[in-house]
């Protein structure tokens, strides 16, 4: 896991290496172990490295293959790199390192833009062709690794973080009104390719983009799994589905142990992370390092789930670490978390993940996490209502449960200059739900959550907060083969037992029943769920700062009303609407956007 940056000139001039190095330098937290840069004509690449596989200098980046005329930078991990290396050696390729980064470059040399079809893992890749001047960018199927772009006439810049692009200069930092509408409506999700800034986009997941030196470009979308029933599985029983998903998940967690450093697990005590621990133990892992976080209770609300994580740790004999965060001023860690965000993210889980990662990174450099199971296997409360309606009623049902505001609500919040025409979030979701390839309303809901919401909320949150401390997080539930299989599973098996029924039945084979048959938990941060005291003061300061007044995003009367009663307006998912506004301004100001 690392940070990459680069520039492609399409105006005939030489690439600005100093700017690329400046961009890469901002990502020292993502890659604290090493760094490098490369340039040739109009192309330049920069990299910061976190050493996980092949700890030698041979795997330092950029990776230069002078025989093939290729140079690449890579962020992520290719779990099948050893198998690919063997296959490529049989085809005549010679290797100078033992790492996965060189395998990616050699895979491109062998298969061209189809190289991504051979990769199992999480990745963002940039490959420069020396002789043609072509630049190829690629992102993994589920968008686990980010890749941001800033394009101006004659120049393309790209980086693993949005702030790295800002460090390069020349970015249009005005607010994109369509993205702003998404942020305020679609529970802070801004789907690719947009970001909150007009001048920055993100490469969509499962996409290869080719930039030619003459200015032409094209995309190849290489993965779009069907959420329909597979005819070869029509006669599968519930037990057959459990066995198949268990086998696939076991493979996924095994794959994610590939490393030349120890790998731990973030153990919340919930079903998903507990199952990861159980499967690793079942495959012979001993002394596995596990980590749980808890906060002091506030106002009678519990701030930890140690009672469950302790049971799992004891059952499987892990080297368990309880991380206790005492009650106190949450503003400093909040400020640090906002600084680590590539885009504004309102979930208070960000602070929990930030603090958890800060401590975990002192023990290990890689962890597995249970992220993604709810979206893949139907764990959220808005899926059962979708089971009651036909496909053509999916939109109003989904919107009622998930949307924070409609078009009229946006008009109450935003000043007219920042109001996008129509209802962009609703229009986007309507089009996505109506796309072919989803058999039922539940399938359509699971598909948009898997391919959009998951990527631009929970996955992005985990990447940003863990990498702020040079900690690589791996997510076995997002193994693309597991996702493909789960997408074909009948919705009624997923929604059984209050959600994730098929996974709960798998869990009953190996986990204490107390971990399975309990209310769904979240990363609890009691001090951030109710705006008061110093946190409320910080939100008020952000919304009244000179930069906020100059931007004038929000109607003054609306903000004043929220500040008078800061906890009165909640979203359908119990998010605080004042916090949503304040967090956006905090993020903009933290990153120097006037």
């Amino acid at each position: 896991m690392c940070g990459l940056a680069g520039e492609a000139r399409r105006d005939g001039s030489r690439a600005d290496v100093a700017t690329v190095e400046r961009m890469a330098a901002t990502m020292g937290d993502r890659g604290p172990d090493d760094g490098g840069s490369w340039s040739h004509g109009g192309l330049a690449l920069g990299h910061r490295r976190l050493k996980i596989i092949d700890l030698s200098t041979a795997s330092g980046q950029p990776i230069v293959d002078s025989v093939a005329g290729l140079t690449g930078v890579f962020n992520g991990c290719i779990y099948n790199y050893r198998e690919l290396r063997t296959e490529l050696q049989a085809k005549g390729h010679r290797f100078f390192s033992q790492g996965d980064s060189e395998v990616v470059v050699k895979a491109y040399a062998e298969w061209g833009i189809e190289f991504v079809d051979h990769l199992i893992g999480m990745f963002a890749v940039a490959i420069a062709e020396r002789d043609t001047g072509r630049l190829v960018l690629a992102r993994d199927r589920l968008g686990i690794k980010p890749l941001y772009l800033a394009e101006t006439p004659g120049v393309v810049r790209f980086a693993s973080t949005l702030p790295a692009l800002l460090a390069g200069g020349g970015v249009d930092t005005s607010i994109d009104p369509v993205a702003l509408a998404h942020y305020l409506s679609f529970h802070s999700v801004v789907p690719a390719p947009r970001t909150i800034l007009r001048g920055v986009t993100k490469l969509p997941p499962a996409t290869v983009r080719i930039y030619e030196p003459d200015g032409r470009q094209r995309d190849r979308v290489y993965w779009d799994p069907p959420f329909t029933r597979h005819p070869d599985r029509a006669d599968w029983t519930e037990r057959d589905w459990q066995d198949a998903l268990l086998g696939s998940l076991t493979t996924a967690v095994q794959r994610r142990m590939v490393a030349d450093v120890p790998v731990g697990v973030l153990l919340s005590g919930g079903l998903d992370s507990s199952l990861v621990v159980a499967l690793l133990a079942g495959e012979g892992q001993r002394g596995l390092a596990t980590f749980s976080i808890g906060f002091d209770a506030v106002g009678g609300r519990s701030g930890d789930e140690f009672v469950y994580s302790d049971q799992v740790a004891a059952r499987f004999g892990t080297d368990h670490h309880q991380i206790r965060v005492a009650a106190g001023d949450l503003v400093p860690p909040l400020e640090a978390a906002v600084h680590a965000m590539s885009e504004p993210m309102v979930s208070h889980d960000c602070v929990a993940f930030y603090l958890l990662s800060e401590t975990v990174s002192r023990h290990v450099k890689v962890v597995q996490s249970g992220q993604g199971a709810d979206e893949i296997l139907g764990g959220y409360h808005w899926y059962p209502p979708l089971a009651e309606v036909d496909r053509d009623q999916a939109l109003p049902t989904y919107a009622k449960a998930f949307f924070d505001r409609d078009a009229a609500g946006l008009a109450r919040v935003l000043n007219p200059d920042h109001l996008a025409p129509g209802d962009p979030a609703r229009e986007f979701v309507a089009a996505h739900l109506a796309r072919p390839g989803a058999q039922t309303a539940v399938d359509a809901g699971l598909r948009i959550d898997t391919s959009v919401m998951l990527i631009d909320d929970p996955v992005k949150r985990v990447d940003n907060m863990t990498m702020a401390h040079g900690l690589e997080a791996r997510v076995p539930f997002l193994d693309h083969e597991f996702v493909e299989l789960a997408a074909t599973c009948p919705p009624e098996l997923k929604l059984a037992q209050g959600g994730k029924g098929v996974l709960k039945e798998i869990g009953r084979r190996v986990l204490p029943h107390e971990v399975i048959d309990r209310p769904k938990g979240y990363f609890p941060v009691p001090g951030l769920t109710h705006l008061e005291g110093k946190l409320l003061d910080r939100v008020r300061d952000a919304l009244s700062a000179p930069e906020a007044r100059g931007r004038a995003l929000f109607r003054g009367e609306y903000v004043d009303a929220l500040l008078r009663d800061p906890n009165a307006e909640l979203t359908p998912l119990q998010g605080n609407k004042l916090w949503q506004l304040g967090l956006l301004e905090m993020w903009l100001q933290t990153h120097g956007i006037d």
Side-chain angles (χ1 to χ4, degrees):
M1 188 104 54
C2 310
L4 62 84
E7 178 181 280
R9 290 273 177 176
R10 299 189 287 179
D11 56 6
S13 62
R14 298 186 68 82
D16 187 343
V17 181
T19 293
V20 171
E21 290 177 339
R22 186 167 68 249
M23 291 161 57
T26 68
M27 297 181 287
D29 49 1
R30 294 184 73 92
D33 296 333
D34 197 6
S37 62
W38 168 92
S39 68
H40 179 80
L43 296 171
L45 302 174
H47 191 265
R48 292 296 313 179
R49 183 184 181 200
L50 178 66
K51 294 182 179 180
I52 301 297
I53 293 176
D54 185 5
L55 309 186
S56 75
T57 57
S59 280
Q61 299 188 50
I63 291 280
V64 179
D65 185 334
S66 56
V67 174
L70 302 173
T71 301
V73 285
F74 160 67
N75 169 29
C77 184
I78 306 304
Y79 305 123
N80 65 329
Y81 81 96
R82 291 171 179 154
E83 295 85 347
L84 288 176
R85 178 190 173 96
T86 300
E87 182 179 355
L88 289 164
Q89 284 176 321
K91 293 178 180 292
H93 293 273
R94 302 179 69 178
F95 287 80
F96 55 79
S97 77
Q98 299 297 317
D100 56 343
S101 302
E102 187 185 5
V103 169
V104 171
V105 175
K106 292 289 201 298
Y108 180 82
E110 178 64 31
W111 294 301
I113 62 172
E114 284 77 32
F115 79 114
V116 290
D117 299 321
H118 299 261
L119 305 181
I120 297 175
M122 54 182 184
F123 52 86
V125 182
I127 293 177
E129 296 186 6
R130 179 192 62 207
D131 298 334
T132 66
R134 181 179 295 121
L135 171 70
V136 176
L137 304 179
R139 194 173 175 202
D140 67 70
R141 298 166 181 83
L142 285 141
I144 303 167
K145 294 294 99 195
L147 191 55
Y148 292 91
L149 302 104
E151 302 190 41
T152 54
V155 183
V156 177
R157 288 180 181 157
F158 52 91
S160 295
T161 71
L162 189 154
L165 292 175
L166 296 179
V171 175
D172 179 358
T173 58
S174 62
I175 304 300
D176 180 340
V178 173
L180 181 60
H182 279 295
Y183 175 84
L184 292 172
S185 300
F186 196 13
H187 203 59
S188 305
V189 173
V190 178
R194 295 182 186 273
T195 73
I196 201 70
L197 304 182
R198 286 183 191 266
V200 180
T201 60
K202 50 204 176 197
L203 187 69
T207 300
V208 179
R209 179 166 295 171
I210 303 97
Y211 290 97
E212 303 290 356
D214 63 5
R216 291 177 297 130
Q217 69 180 67
R218 59 191 172 95
D219 284 0
R220 176 193 174 222
V221 177
Y222 64 92
W223 190 74
D224 185 18
F227 281 68
T228 56
R229 311 294 77 79
H230 196 291
D232 291 347
R233 300 165 191 159
D235 61 348
W236 279 17
T237 65
E238 291 186 29
R239 183 74 183 194
D240 291 332
W241 278 107
Q242 294 164 22
D243 291 344
L245 288 167
L246 174 58
S248 181
L249 186 59
T250 301
T251 297
V253 298
Q254 286 177 310
R255 283 171 173 164
R256 282 153 185 80
M257 293 302 289
V258 172
D260 293 329
V261 296
V263 179
V265 177
L266 301 182
L267 176 60
S268 69
L271 169 64
D272 312 331
S273 61
S274 299
L275 194 51
V276 171
V277 171
L279 294 180
L280 288 173
E283 293 301 309
Q285 291 292 327
R286 297 292 178 263
L288 186 70
T290 54
F291 303 87
S292 301
I293 191 170
F295 295 79
D296 284 350
V298 174
R301 181 172 180 177
S302 174
D304 71 69
E305 296 188 331
F306 290 148
V307 64
Y308 301 111
S309 56
D310 286 352
Q311 287 185 56
V312 175
R315 166 74 73 92
F316 299 106
T318 73
D319 177 17
H320 191 53
H321 304 256
Q322 278 190 3
I323 300 168
R324 295 180 178 272
V325 180
D329 186 1
L330 284 172
V331 171
L334 170 64
E335 300 277 14
V338 172
H339 184 268
M341 295 177 185
S342 276
E343 299 176 68
M345 293 178 273
V346 299
S347 174
H348 58 77
D349 288 6
C350 287
V351 174
F353 268 112
Y354 183 90
L355 292 171
L356 177 62
S357 301
E358 183 177 40
T359 299
V360 172
S361 65
R362 299 172 191 148
H363 298 269
V364 295
K365 297 176 79 170
V366 184
V367 289
Q368 295 201 38
S369 167
Q371 212 75 31
D374 288 300
E375 293 84 355
I376 305 302
L377 291 168
Y380 289 127
H381 67 82
W382 53 87
Y383 298 131
L386 287 169
E388 304 300 320
V389 300
D390 294 331
R391 274 290 305 274
D392 60 1
Q393 288 300 306
L395 175 62
T397 305
Y398 184 89
K400 181 179 179 181
F402 201 84
F403 279 15
D404 297 341
R405 296 173 180 85
D406 57 13
L410 286 173
R412 287 180 58 224
V413 178
L414 294 171
N415 279 315
D417 289 348
H418 297 286
L419 199 59
D423 191 341
R426 193 177 186 91
E427 293 159 11
F428 172 88
V429 172
H432 201 288
L433 292 174
R435 281 177 45 210
Q439 188 162 326
T440 68
V442 174
D443 289 311
L446 289 166
R447 181 179 62 182
I448 193 171
D449 285 354
T450 298
S451 61
V452 178
M453 184 273 283
L454 174 66
I455 292 163
D456 274 297
D457 186 9
V459 164
K460 180 169 62 183
R461 184 192 322 153
V462 172
D463 173 84
N464 286 192
M465 296 303 109
T466 55
M467 290 310 296
H469 302 286
L471 179 67
E472 176 173 301
R474 300 175 174 180
V475 278
F477 283 99
L478 299 190
D479 184 281
H480 80 271
E481 292 180 347
F482 180 79
V483 173
E484 289 170 354
L485 176 63
T488 66
C489 180
E492 58 270 21
L493 299 184
K494 299 174 187 175
L495 302 190
Q497 303 179 45
K500 292 190 295 193
V502 64
L503 193 66
K504 289 175 179 176
E505 286 304 310
I506 292 170
R508 293 185 201 285
R509 304 185 188 185
V510 291
L511 292 173
H513 70 86
E514 295 89 351
V515 173
I516 301 167
D517 299 313
R518 69 179 185 93
K520 179 173 173 54
Y522 297 90
F523 256 148
V525 191
L528 289 178
T529 57
H530 188 82
L531 287 180
E532 60 186 9
K534 291 182 178 180
L535 184 60
L536 177 57
D537 291 342
R538 182 65 185 89
V539 169
R540 181 181 288 107
D541 290 346
L543 291 169
S544 60
E547 299 93 332
R549 291 198 300 271
R551 250 187 298 274
L553 295 176
F554 311 122
R555 291 182 177 272
E557 64 273 19
Y558 181 77
V559 173
D560 290 342
L562 288 181
L563 287 170
R564 284 194 297 271
D565 194 355
N567 298 292
E569 285 203 29
L570 302 178
T571 70
L573 297 178
Q574 299 304 297
N576 186 293
K577 291 189 175 181
L578 176 60
W579 172 243
Q580 196 177 43
L581 274 55
L583 185 280
L584 175 57
E585 271 298 340
M586 286 177 64
W587 184 86
L588 292 168
Q589 294 163 32
T590 296
H591 293 286
I593 299 168
D594 297 327

